[in-house]
Amino acid sequence: METRKQIENAAKALKDARYAIAFTGAGISVESGVPPFRGSENSIWSKYDPECLDLDYFYAHPAQSWEVIKEIFYNFMFKTEIHPNTAHIALAKMESMGIIKSVVTQNIDFLHQEAGSKHVYEFHGTAGRVICTNKRCGNVMKPQDIDLNSMPPKCPKCGSLLKPDFVFFGEGIPHDVYEKSMSDAEKADVVVVVGTTGEVMPAGMIPIIAKRHGATIIEINPTKSALTTQYTDIHIAAKAGEAFAMLAEEIGIEL
């Protein structure tokens, strides 16, 4: 009964919203088979040393770093059947209906785009692009198009080191993405927080800034998080797919 009431309240808030956005983390993609970086015995950092994604380590030991990157991301993501789940699809449908204006995501798995979302701000970049580290070259490639049999992979145009286009430890958030995300947080009157504890900064400031500007915070998370007691107005204690299936039905969206 409690969950149903929260679904009804969340659906009404979304239908009445002037500018609703979504803020998503690893929890939304776990149901698609993507392991989280932290927080469980199956998390990526329970199996690998985070140093492999430290920017200084990457440039000092590119071959060793790339071996781990290849195993974590490209052997897994492009050779495993990983697809958008109900939550990704529902958010894309909500955007197409004008309910959701944008998705700010901490994830680098590009599942929101695969589901059909158009306005996605990838706060931590994406594993779906590889860039040349030579700024004068600026070559951008798809991971499928680079040679991962030779480590570290080199740019076919200039021979410089290639790097996945996601944010490493010690690397700043892309300026344009940061500005657009923060701007939407300030404009939002409703924020749907999905599958994140809100503890990774500066991404975790998105719902906090929105709340300070008067937004209603809807949190979809099976357990309570750091946001729940301080910032959340409506907490739906369910997995992302289950919650969005109920929300879609309540709003009248066919998935």
Side-chain angles (χ1 to χ4, degrees):
M1 288 295 291
E2 178 63 24
T3 299
R4 173 48 60 183
K5 183 62 178 175
Q6 301 291 51
I7 290 290
E8 291 172 359
N9 291 340
K12 184 178 187 307
L14 284 166
K15 286 189 287 187
D16 293 346
R18 171 187 50 80
Y19 201 96
I21 68 172
F23 174 57
T24 68
I28 194 172
S29 293
V30 166
E31 293 173 57
S32 291
V34 179
F37 278 92
R38 53 177 64 80
S40 77
E41 60 183 24
N42 295 318
S43 66
I44 289 172
W45 298 145
S46 70
K47 300 177 181 178
Y48 301 94
D49 187 344
E51 186 181 41
C52 68
L53 292 188
D54 179 88
L55 194 62
D56 290 338
Y57 181 87
F58 174 77
Y59 282 116
H61 309 281
Q64 293 92 322
S65 185
W66 257 107
E67 286 288 357
V68 178
I69 290 167
K70 176 185 175 182
E71 186 173 341
I72 293 175
F73 300 104
Y74 301 121
N75 285 357
F76 179 77
M77 283 190 172
F78 294 109
K79 295 182 181 178
T80 307
E81 290 297 310
I82 293 176
H83 302 290
N85 61 54
T86 300
H88 296 106
I89 294 166
L91 280 172
K93 288 283 184 77
M94 289 180 186
E95 182 188 4
S96 69
M97 295 173 64
I99 297 172
I100 293 287
K101 304 302 183 186
S102 69
V103 175
V104 180
T105 185
Q106 299 173 86
N107 300 333
I108 62 173
D109 53 38
F110 46 91
L111 288 175
H112 284 297
Q113 291 93 328
E114 284 192 25
S117 291
K118 305 297 184 187
H119 297 93
V120 182
Y121 302 136
E122 295 171 306
F123 209 83
H124 294 146
T126 178
R129 287 189 304 270
V130 177
I131 58 173
C132 179
T133 55
N134 180 354
K135 301 300 182 186
R136 288 174 295 179
C137 174
N139 191 18
V140 179
M141 304 176 65
K142 292 181 179 180
Q144 301 95 315
D145 297 332
I146 66 173
D147 182 9
L148 289 174
N149 294 314
S150 177
M151 289 293 161
K154 299 292 181 67
C155 176
K157 281 189 176 180
C158 73
S160 298
L161 177 66
L162 292 172
K163 174 188 174 295
D165 197 19
F166 52 72
V167 177
F168 280 53
F169 296 117
E171 187 173 19
I173 306 300
H175 180 73
D176 60 333
V177 172
Y178 181 88
E179 291 296 321
K180 289 174 181 176
S181 299
M182 294 302 170
S183 174
D184 267 21
E186 292 176 2
K187 287 190 288 187
D189 56 349
V190 174
V191 179
V192 186
V193 180
V194 192
T196 178
T197 61
E199 294 175 358
V200 176
M201 295 297 169
M205 288 302 297
I206 298 293
I208 296 172
I209 289 170
K211 183 70 173 178
R212 288 174 181 169
H213 283 78
T216 296
I217 307 299
I218 301 168
E219 182 182 3
I220 297 174
N221 207 323
T223 58
K224 291 184 178 181
S225 73
L227 296 170
T228 311
T229 54
Q230 293 189 66
Y231 302 103
T232 299
D233 297 290
I234 302 169
H235 178 214
I236 301 172
K239 292 182 178 180
E242 176 188 353
F244 273 101
M246 291 188 288
L247 270 174
E249 182 181 9
E250 187 69 27
I251 294 172
I253 299 172
E254 185 175 339
L255 298 179

